């Protein structure tokens, strides 16, 4: 019963997202990782280890003189409370019944026009898919998922499930874009 209710919530979330996207205008084109200056990273965080992995990926980009901003979605409210990281965090208390994040929590992130927006979710994480879809970013990148394909400019089919594995693979391909 709970799974049915959750799938219904996601279905309504996707319907609202598609309606909102009709109003949005965005100029998109591919940008190489070398040319990108501002990078946004969306990351699902299940534990402290994933938080460290996301920060490590951001640090490698910052070492290449990129400005990086992270937004994470945590299921564990306790992890959000004891976090001392550079990752802006949202949790279940920051989303509506249909998994859409509350505007005041994400408005700075979605209104920032990143050169590249990277979604590190390897499975469906609707709150972060929503943020990516309504973002004003120029080039949106994610792991391939047919449900979220309309919202991204470049998707990579991967077997990686870890943040480290997927980010390494993704970086390899983003460096190939000219």
């Amino acid at each position: 019963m709970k799974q049915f209710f959750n799938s219904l919530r996601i279905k309504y979330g996707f319907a609202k997202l598609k309606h909102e996207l009709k109003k949005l205008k965005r100029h998109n084109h591919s940008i190489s990782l070398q040319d990108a200056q501002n990078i946004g990273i969306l990351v699902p965080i299940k534990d402290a280890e994933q938080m460290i992995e996301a920060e490590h990926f951001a640090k490698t980009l910052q070492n290449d003189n990129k400005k990086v901003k992270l937004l994470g979605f945590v299921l564990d409210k306790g992890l959000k409370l004891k976090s001392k990281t550079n990752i802006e965090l949202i949790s279940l208390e920051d989303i509506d019944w249909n998994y859409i994040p509350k505007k005041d929590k994400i408005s700075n992130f979605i209104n920032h026009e990143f050169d590249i927006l990277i979604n590190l979710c390897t499975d469906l994480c609707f709150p972060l898919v929503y943020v990516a879809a309504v973002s004003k970013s120029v080039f949106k990148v994610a792991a391939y998922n047919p449900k979220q394909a309309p919202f991204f400019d470049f998707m990579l089919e991967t077997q990686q499930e870890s943040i480290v594995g997927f980010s390494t693979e993704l970086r390899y391909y983003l460096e190939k874009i000219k």
Side-chain angles (χ1 to χ4, degrees), residues 108-120:
N108 288 339
F109 199 87
I110 62 173
N111 289 323
H112 192 93
E113 194 171 310
F114 296 107
D115 296 326
I116 300 176
L117 178 64
I118 300 171
N119 185 354
L120 290 178

Side-chain angles (χ1 to χ4, degrees), residues 31 53 62 79 96 131 140 143 147 178:
I31 296 178
E53 290 174 355
Q62 288 169 338
L79 188 61
D96 290 329
V131 171
K140 300 176 185 180
K147 286 186 176 182
K178 298 294 178 205

